Amino acid sequence: MRVKAQFGMTFNLEKCIGCNTCTVACKNVWTNREGAEYMWWNNVETKPGIGYPKQWENQQRWQGGWVKEGNRLRLRYGGRPAMLSPFFPFFNPHMPEMADYYGADVYTFTYDDLHTPQQGTQQPVARPKSMVTEEEDIPLTWGVNWEDNAGGAHITGKYDVNFRGMSKEEHEAYLRFRDVFYFYLPRICNHCLNPACVAACPSGAAYKREEDGIVLIDQQRCRNWRYCITSCPYKKPYYNWRTGKMEKCILCYPRVEHGLPPICFHSCVGRIRSFGVILYDLDRVEEAALAEERDLVRAQREIILDPFDPQVIEAARANGIPDDWIDAAQRSAPYKLIKKWELALPLHPEFRTLPMLWYIPPLAPIITSIGQCSPDEQDIFDMDKPSSGPLLGLDELEKFRIPIKYLANLFAAGNEDEVKKSLLRQLAIRHYERSIRVDGKPNTEVLARVGLTEEDAKGIVRALSLAFYHERFVIPTTKREAADLSPYTERGFAGFAAMSPWAPVPRRKSYYKSRHTPEKEYE
Amino acid sequence: MFDNFFFVGLPYIAILLFVLGLAYRTLTGFKTFYRGKPAWGAWGDFLWTTRSTGFFGRATIGPAALCLHWGLIVLIVAHLIGFIGGAANWGGWVSFFRWTGMFGGVLALYGACWAFVRRLLSAQLRAMSTLEDYIVLLFLIVTLALGLYHSIVQFVWGVSYPVGRWLVSLFTLQPDASWVATIPLTMKLHIIIAFTFLAYFPFTKLVHAFSYPLAYITRPYISMRRYVGVKK
């Protein structure tokens, strides 16, 4: 058992209102630069739909992720020998281009025209303007939030691969206005345990940090092979056309290292996101990635270790994980939501990258028609009406407006049982809470039916609806003091590359010899 | 005098710049030898990239990109064979160079021309292009055109014999420009421009030709690093 720490994340889709505050925060902090205009390290998609870039989930088209070949994993785009062969590098058709991200070109609007209007016969308008060529009045045919609130779902929904396993009629029926459903899917880089982008990077620029599992791309070492875009099944690395380097979500590591959550987590107004340390067994990652499709969710949960288990704690200490990290793992909200209560599910586990961003599938709404299960005034004001009404019974999952099959294809590689378990547990919690409020006595029978204890239920209610900032985000700081580089000699120099201790500029490396850590060269 | 400058001085300067420039670009990719091991880092060669244009229209560059790169590979191999054959007076090798070079030249010229035209036609590519991108393509186009003009239009073949011996004289450090004094002007221009290009090469994005990922052959799929590479 080799215990590693990793930052895990959960998004509660039940509560996501698709406001894109996360997206805007991320954009303003990281990607409002030339060459990065079209990058959305965080974006919120509406499902059903084909997303950003177009059809990113369709691996027939983009060749991302891993495939299981017998007892081995292979990158779908090509194994190592294929990628090293001279036939591969000069042209790669499986790579999104600007047209797949933004139709014609990434655009802004001529807002200046609003500030300095000429006198005219009509109101001044802001016209679309390309952010690459500065050409105006370019056609707008796609964008990061093109499908917001199921706009155009009747067209793009036909290409949504998550309807697989349904008949054509059923698929089309779900896209009709009367039966349409939608929910939001906020996406950032999943910082996978088995990242295909890292595996596909020939130059070794993409890497996973050992301490916290953040996946980064070394800008100096990147040689622009762009295999990471092809191989990442979530299409989260982006090509910076100005610098010619690949960029991706950095999980705001400058913030995380100092104990603050990433900016998209921090800014989430719905408080749907939680962030914390997860301990996992590095030796069993491959085993989990090789599980049968049906077992993928279970296998991925299994390699997550119980931070209260004395054996795990001992192994973690032996592997150099500091005590405050173990403590953080014990208080971690994602650990409970993923492993303890089994509410959260990974996005597309069938890509076998073992994503560490887990989603709690959305519960609402239910199918209603006049006179049947439709909430009327009576229901809203008269809470003594438990048998029918807005609250779904545990055996009425078929009344879900969102087909379970769809959620299963999205979050459990088609295994409906995993999705049902999560949904039923959320439903049971509602019944339990309702029984406390309405009946005045807690209904533990409904909890027992879904395998939860009353303590679990209280914890879930707390975690999903009441949790404070410090409960949702338990983030131990990075052990900078253990690094060889001392902040003391770095002050005034950090960020100036030419003044790093290794640069040719002569620089004092030590003011005095360190008594505490004599092996350090820089103090 | 001119011959001595262009066929003795220039080649040496170009080769020296090529080798030293490449070495410099490669070594700046390393921070230093830290604790006895080469360490990549902060002031590495950020500009070592292909600055690919496929992002703004992959379909329109596909065949041209393949033709350009494969054409150049064929040309490099064919030139080597031709020069060796010429120096050693092996007619078969020189003939091989003639036909393969023609094939590779046509491929590469098509690729380079289309890449250049595409850069001019597409507004997005004009926006992303730097002067270097155009210069590099123009160098390629002129060199390829001169070579092809010489071999396809003028039907003057067999230049490999004197050029091969001249190259041998260069590499044995007994440079003798008189070997190439009598070759046609188009061929002289071809050689001069090619060597100028060679000198310019390491200071452009073309260094990407030297980024074959040797480490990828042996390294595990998932690379992991401890932060900033300074922890023991």
Side-chain angles (χ1 to χ4, degrees):
Chain A
M1 180 159 62
R2 266 191 299 168
V3 183
K4 282 269 172 230
Q6 155 88 33
F7 280 125
M9 305 162 262
T10 52
F11 288 3
N12 183 3
L13 298 188
E14 172 69 7
K15 284 169 48 176
C16 181
I17 55 168
C19 65
N20 273 305
T21 310
C22 45
T23 314
V24 172
C26 176
K27 172 56 81 181
N28 282 328
V29 173
W30 296 119
T31 56
N32 50 0
R33 300 165 275 133
E34 192 175 13
E37 306 95 341
Y38 82 99
M39 294 182 199
W40 296 92
W41 292 354
N42 180 109
N43 70 316
V44 182
E45 285 168 16
T46 303
K47 287 282 158 192
I50 55 176
Y52 181 86
K54 287 177 192 167
Q55 299 199 59
W56 59 270
E57 291 157 297
N58 184 352
Q59 301 313 332
Q60 302 308 315
R61 178 165 178 192
W62 299 124
Q63 302 285 307
W66 300 87
V67 282
K68 186 181 169 183
E69 269 186 357
N71 220 4
R72 297 189 59 185
L73 283 176
R74 184 177 66 83
L75 288 169
R76 196 189 304 266
Y77 177 53
R80 201 198 303 258
M83 276 161 79
L84 284 166
S85 77
F87 301 98
F88 257 51
F90 304 129
F91 182 60
N92 177 356
H94 303 292
M95 210 185 291
E97 56 189 34
M98 186 55 102
D100 296 304
Y101 292 104
Y102 264 96
D105 212 342
V106 53
Y107 46 82
T108 179
F109 294 88
T110 56
Y111 294 113
D112 275 356
D113 291 358
L114 305 183
H115 297 297
T116 54
Q118 302 293 315
Q119 182 149 21
T121 54
Q122 62 187 37
Q123 288 282 323
V125 289
R127 285 162 298 122
K129 179 181 176 179
S130 160
M131 290 172 94
V132 177
T133 63
E134 304 197 3
E135 200 181 326
E136 288 180 7
D137 287 329
I138 57 165
L140 308 185
T141 53
W142 199 255
V144 68
N145 54 357
W146 198 258
E147 300 169 308
D148 256 11
N149 302 345
H154 59 296
I155 297 163
T156 59
K158 286 178 196 151
Y159 303 97
D160 187 334
V161 295
N162 297 307
F163 285 104
R164 74 170 171 273
M166 294 185 202
S167 67
K168 196 159 174 287
E169 291 74 31
E170 209 177 351
H171 185 165
E172 277 166 9
Y174 275 119
L175 299 173
R176 276 202 302 268
F177 182 67
R178 195 180 70 93
D179 297 321
V180 80
F181 67 93
Y182 75 80
F183 60 96
Y184 300 107
L185 184 74
R187 299 204 298 129
I188 67 169
C189 166
N190 294 303
H191 297 274
C192 307
L193 293 186
N194 186 28
C197 62
V198 171
C201 178
S203 41
Y207 64 98
K208 192 169 176 67
R209 301 212 301 190
E210 270 194 62
E211 292 82 6
D212 47 21
I214 296 177
V215 177
L216 297 173
I217 294 174
D218 183 334
Q219 293 290 293
Q220 262 75 33
R221 209 165 158 184
C222 171
R223 294 286 176 263
N224 192 20
W225 289 87
R226 287 159 292 140
Y227 288 160
C228 54
I229 326 183
T230 301
S231 285
C232 172
Y234 305 96
K235 293 288 165 284
K236 276 295 173 185
Y238 296 91
Y239 172 64
N240 183 321
W241 55 265
R242 181 47 86 202
T243 63
K245 301 275 171 169
M246 307 304 307
E247 292 180 18
K248 64 176 285 299
C249 160
I250 57 174
L251 205 59
C252 292
Y253 73 82
R255 285 173 60 89
V256 169
E257 284 177 5
H258 292 89
L260 293 166
I263 196 77
C264 55
F265 286 72
H266 189 116
S267 61
C268 178
V269 291
R271 303 178 180 185
I272 71 158
R273 303 185 174 206
S274 51
F275 188 90
V277 177
I278 277 171
L279 302 179
Y280 71 98
D281 187 354
L282 189 64
D283 289 335
R284 291 175 62 199
V285 166
E286 197 181 358
E287 176 196 319
L290 277 168
E292 290 302 322
E293 225 160 68
R294 223 189 131 66
D295 294 335
L296 271 168
V297 175
R298 189 188 48 76
Q300 297 191 15
R301 271 203 190 108
E302 258 176 21
I303 60 166
I304 294 173
L305 300 169
D306 177 5
F308 295 98
D309 182 347
Q311 271 183 325
V312 171
I313 293 174
E314 195 186 325
R317 284 203 181 116
N319 214 7
I321 295 175
D323 278 357
D324 62 335
W325 279 65
I326 297 172
D327 173 60
Q330 290 173 344
R331 291 186 289 130
S332 150
Y335 168 75
K336 290 179 206 153
L337 292 168
I338 297 169
K339 174 94 174 179
K340 189 176 172 195
W341 301 321
E342 302 192 348
L343 286 175
L345 299 163
L347 180 63
H348 285 299
E350 74 273 21
F351 297 157
R352 297 176 192 275
T353 61
L354 275 58
M356 270 300 117
L357 166 50
W358 295 59
Y359 291 88
I360 298 171
L363 203 50
I366 56 173
I367 294 173
T368 57
S369 54
I370 307 272
Q372 286 181 333
C373 344
S374 61
D376 51 25
E377 286 165 19
Q378 195 70 9
D379 293 322
I380 293 164
F381 296 111
D382 176 15
M383 293 298 274
D384 295 329
K385 199 184 164 199
S387 59
S388 65
L391 195 57
L392 211 59
L394 288 198
D395 39 11
E396 294 178 292
L397 275 189
E398 72 279 3
K399 281 192 188 158
F400 261 35
R401 195 166 258 266
I402 306 174
I404 306 288
K405 185 80 198 157
Y406 187 89
L407 290 176
N409 283 335
L410 196 57
F411 295 120
N415 184 348
E416 292 186 25
D417 294 344
E418 292 288 352
V419 176
K420 277 183 187 159
K421 189 202 286 171
S422 171
L423 294 176
L424 284 177
R425 286 189 168 182
Q426 292 182 60
L427 266 182
I429 297 294
R430 287 190 175 192
H431 279 275
Y432 167 74
E433 276 296 294
R434 184 190 164 93
S435 68
I436 294 176
R437 302 274 164 148
V438 180
D439 305 338
K441 62 173 175 23
N443 175 2
T444 49
E445 181 269 332
V446 70
L447 292 179
R449 273 178 67 190
V450 294
L452 290 174
T453 65
E454 206 169 352
E455 192 198 342
D456 287 336
K458 281 178 181 149
I460 293 173
V461 171
R462 178 99 209 145
L464 294 189
S465 54
L466 302 169
F468 286 120
Y469 186 90
H470 67 273
E471 291 168 76
R472 284 174 281 133
F473 311 127
V474 185
I475 306 166
T477 52
T478 301
K479 294 283 167 273
R480 280 281 171 200
E481 64 272 24
D484 208 6
L485 204 60
S486 160
Y488 188 69
T489 42
E490 280 308 291
R491 26 176 216 164
F493 292 102
F496 296 97
M499 290 180 177
S500 85
W502 301 276
V505 183
R507 187 185 146 193
R508 186 197 300 273
K509 284 173 180 158
S510 171
Y511 290 97
Y512 49 83
K513 207 143 182 75
S514 167
R515 273 169 295 173
H516 307 292
T517 45
E519 77 277 5
K520 281 190 179 181
E521 276 180 34
Y522 301 99
E523 179 64 298
Chain B
M1 177 58 207
F2 280 112
D3 275 0
N4 270 339
F5 175 72
F6 284 121
F7 298 108
V8 179
L10 178 66
Y12 279 129
I13 293 171
I15 292 171
L16 215 62
L17 274 174
F18 181 73
V19 174
L20 293 183
L22 261 182
Y24 174 76
R25 293 278 309 253
T26 310
L27 291 177
T28 50
F30 293 99
K31 219 178 246 171
T32 182
F33 284 83
Y34 181 70
R35 290 184 192 279
K37 275 186 186 170
W40 292 86
W43 61 290
D45 198 331
F46 182 61
L47 300 178
W48 195 303
T49 163
T50 62
R51 285 229 308 288
S52 129
T53 60
F55 182 65
F56 291 119
R58 187 148 280 111
T60 52
I61 191 64
L66 285 171
C67 286
L68 175 62
H69 288 94
W70 276 110
L72 287 175
I73 290 171
V74 168
L75 278 177
I76 289 166
V77 174
H79 272 79
L80 277 177
I81 289 174
F83 295 149
I84 293 169
N89 217 354
W90 296 332
W93 287 39
V94 174
S95 302
F96 175 81
F97 172 31
R98 175 197 302 160
W99 295 113
T100 337
M102 222 183 262
F103 171 67
V106 170
L107 279 188
L109 186 64
Y110 159 68
C113 285
W114 178 236
F116 189 77
V117 171
R118 180 170 165 271
R119 262 187 205 279
L120 294 178
L121 288 183
S122 156
Q124 289 167 318
L125 289 181
R126 280 201 305 276
M128 87 172 267
S129 297
T130 60
L131 191 60
E132 180 200 305
D133 296 321
Y134 296 115
I135 294 178
V136 161
L137 280 173
L138 279 178
F139 256 118
L140 275 174
I141 291 171
V142 171
T143 320
L144 288 165
L146 279 170
L148 280 178
Y149 173 76
H150 184 84
S151 69
I152 295 184
V153 181
Q154 299 242 314
F155 288 106
V156 182
W157 295 328
V159 174
S160 290
Y161 296 106
V163 169
R165 287 184 190 115
W166 165 66
L167 283 173
V168 169
S169 79
L170 279 182
F171 285 119
T172 51
L173 299 182
Q174 292 161 333
D176 186 359
S178 62
W179 279 114
V180 283
T182 55
I183 65 171
L185 182 67
T186 46
M187 216 18 29
K188 279 186 177 172
L189 281 175
H190 176 81
I191 294 171
I192 292 167
I193 294 172
F195 270 113
T196 318
F197 188 36
L198 200 68
Y200 181 49
F201 187 101
F203 310 102
T204 65
K205 61 176 184 174
L206 294 182
V207 288
H208 76 255
F210 291 88
S211 32
Y212 191 77
L214 291 173
Y216 192 52
I217 298 171
T218 52
R219 75 145 217 253
Y221 264 132
I222 308 296
S223 15
M224 281 190 149
R225 293 193 203 173
R226 294 192 157 261
Y227 48 67
V228 298
V230 291
K231 209 170 159 191
K232 245 190 161 175

